[in-house]
Amino acid sequence: MEYQLDNTHPRVLKIVITGPLEKQGTMAAMADLILHPEYPYKHSLWDFTRGTQMKLSMGDLREIVGVLKLLSTREKGFANKSALLVPHMMGMGMAKIYVSLSKLLPFEYKIFTQINEAMDFLAPNQ
């Protein structure tokens, strides 16, 4: 799995995933996102449209949520919206499971199949 973090949008940090989605790469992308200096002030868009296959188990998803629980900020004014841009049904199912597992986190996750809808959620009127 490869990923690229794009911080060019004034209100959104975009992570574009390429290749098979797997735990180690997802954890690395999360770390880069969380350590980014604009992370507390920009919402995040996870773009899985260039991913080729899902190589995450339920245990992997639980571990990812557990790490986010430990690292999440509760800063006032924290940009807590995350959009998951998912292109196909298999990814949609896993994304729904992930969102369900992360209900107790201080994030508002939503799943989208269209980039314009995801951006409207993250940065309306932009």
Side-chain angles (χ1 to χ4, degrees), residues 5 21 30 42 65 83 89 106 119 121:
L5 195 144
L21 183 63
M30 277 182 12
K42 289 186 175 185
V65 169
M89 292 310 292
M119 291 304 292
F121 165 68

Side-chain angles (χ1 to χ4, degrees), residues 90-106:
M90 178 60 171
M92 184 67 73
M94 290 299 278
K96 286 180 179 180
I97 292 168
Y98 175 78
V99 170
S100 175
L101 291 171
S102 64
K103 286 288 185 196
L104 297 178
L105 296 176

